[in-house]
Amino acid sequence: MSANEDCIFCKIIDGEIPSAKVYEDEDVYAFLDISQVTKGHTLVIPKAHVKNIYQTDEDIASQLFARVPKICQAIEKSFKPKGINILSNTGELAGQSVFHLHLHLIPRYDQTDGFNPKWVTHNDDYSSEDLAEIANLISQNI
Ligand code: AMP
Ligand code: ZN
């Protein structure tokens, strides 16, 4: 898939917009997120322009995720975070603001390091039958 001329990340890959490059090969590019939610916050992107995970085929997904362990290991070696969150915001409601697939690698240092996802559990709202029904529907759509 070719570059999208309106896409800021395609422009970063092409060098038209500067970036703090962490890693590059023929399929994947990684660079520091300008917002640095925590120190070392890195974005990993496919060179192919795909909007988000919904548009992503298995080849692009494999290439992209294959590079994640070594980049995470390098972040761990560099800054010794206590953990890393890996996430991909998909769709505006989920916080996606740049519509070229990207994985955020967010090193975690402590509870007040700048990243604070709220994880609300609803265990009591779903019976095992409810879970089976939900799983079944998703499964049928794969
Ligand atoms: P998302 O909101 O998940 O789509 O993430 C997009 C990310 O791209 C945000 O965290 C921005 O800080 C980051 N970003 C936008 N423009 C640039 C840029 N020119 N260089 C580095 N990061 C950028
Ligand atoms: Zn793009």
Side-chain angles (χ1 to χ4, degrees), residues 2-4 7-11 13 47-50 99-101:
S2 56
N4 179 319
C7 172
I8 186 171
F9 285 177
C10 284
K11 289 188 174 133
I13 293 164
K47 286 194 170 172
H49 178 86
V50 285
F99 290 86
H100 178 130
L101 176 67

Side-chain angles (χ1 to χ4, degrees), residues 9-23:
F9 285 177
C10 284
K11 289 188 174 133
I12 284 177
I13 293 164
D14 290 346
E16 282 176 55
I17 292 178
S19 67
K21 182 165 87 175
V22 167
Y23 175 83

Side-chain angles (χ1 to χ4, degrees), residues 51-76:
K51 197 171 162 187
N52 58 33
I53 203 76
Y54 294 139
Q55 277 192 354
T56 303
D57 65 23
E58 290 190 6
D59 285 344
I60 291 174
S62 304
Q63 290 158 1
L64 186 66
F65 208 81
R67 278 59 165 190
V68 168
K70 65 183 167 193
I71 299 171
C72 286
Q73 287 153 15
I75 292 170
E76 204 278 329

Side-chain angles (χ1 to χ4, degrees), residues 8-142:
I8 186 171
F9 285 177
C10 284
K11 289 188 174 133
I12 284 177
I13 293 164
D14 290 346
E16 282 176 55
I17 292 178
S19 67
K21 182 165 87 175
V22 167
Y23 175 83
E24 180 174 17
D25 62 36
E26 59 180 359
D27 302 311
V28 172
Y29 192 91
F31 58 106
L32 293 186
D33 190 306
I34 203 162
S35 70
Q36 288 298 282
V37 166
T38 65
K39 187 178 186 179
H41 177 187
T42 298
L43 298 174
V44 191
I45 65 178
K47 286 194 170 172
H49 178 86
V50 285
K51 197 171 162 187
N52 58 33
I53 203 76
Y54 294 139
Q55 277 192 354
T56 303
D57 65 23
E58 290 190 6
D59 285 344
I60 291 174
S62 304
Q63 290 158 1
L64 186 66
F65 208 81
R67 278 59 165 190
V68 168
K70 65 183 167 193
I71 299 171
C72 286
Q73 287 153 15
I75 292 170
E76 204 278 329
K77 195 171 168 190
S78 305
F79 302 118
K80 297 277 175 284
K82 296 195 174 96
I84 296 187
N85 285 104
I86 302 169
L87 85 154
S88 186
N89 299 326
T90 302
E92 243 175 81
L93 182 72
Q96 185 173 12
S97 60
V98 176
F99 290 86
H100 178 130
L101 176 67
H102 49 282
L103 299 178
H104 291 264
L105 311 182
I106 305 177
R108 300 304 309 279
Y109 301 96
D110 58 43
Q111 299 288 350
T112 60
D113 58 12
F115 187 66
N116 191 19
K118 194 173 171 198
W119 198 271
V120 180
T121 58
H122 294 103
N123 305 33
D124 296 340
D125 298 342
Y126 293 89
S127 65
S128 51
E129 290 78 20
D130 293 332
L131 296 181
E133 196 180 322
I134 293 167
N136 205 21
L137 180 58
I138 298 171
S139 183
Q140 282 172 5
N141 280 309
I142 290 175

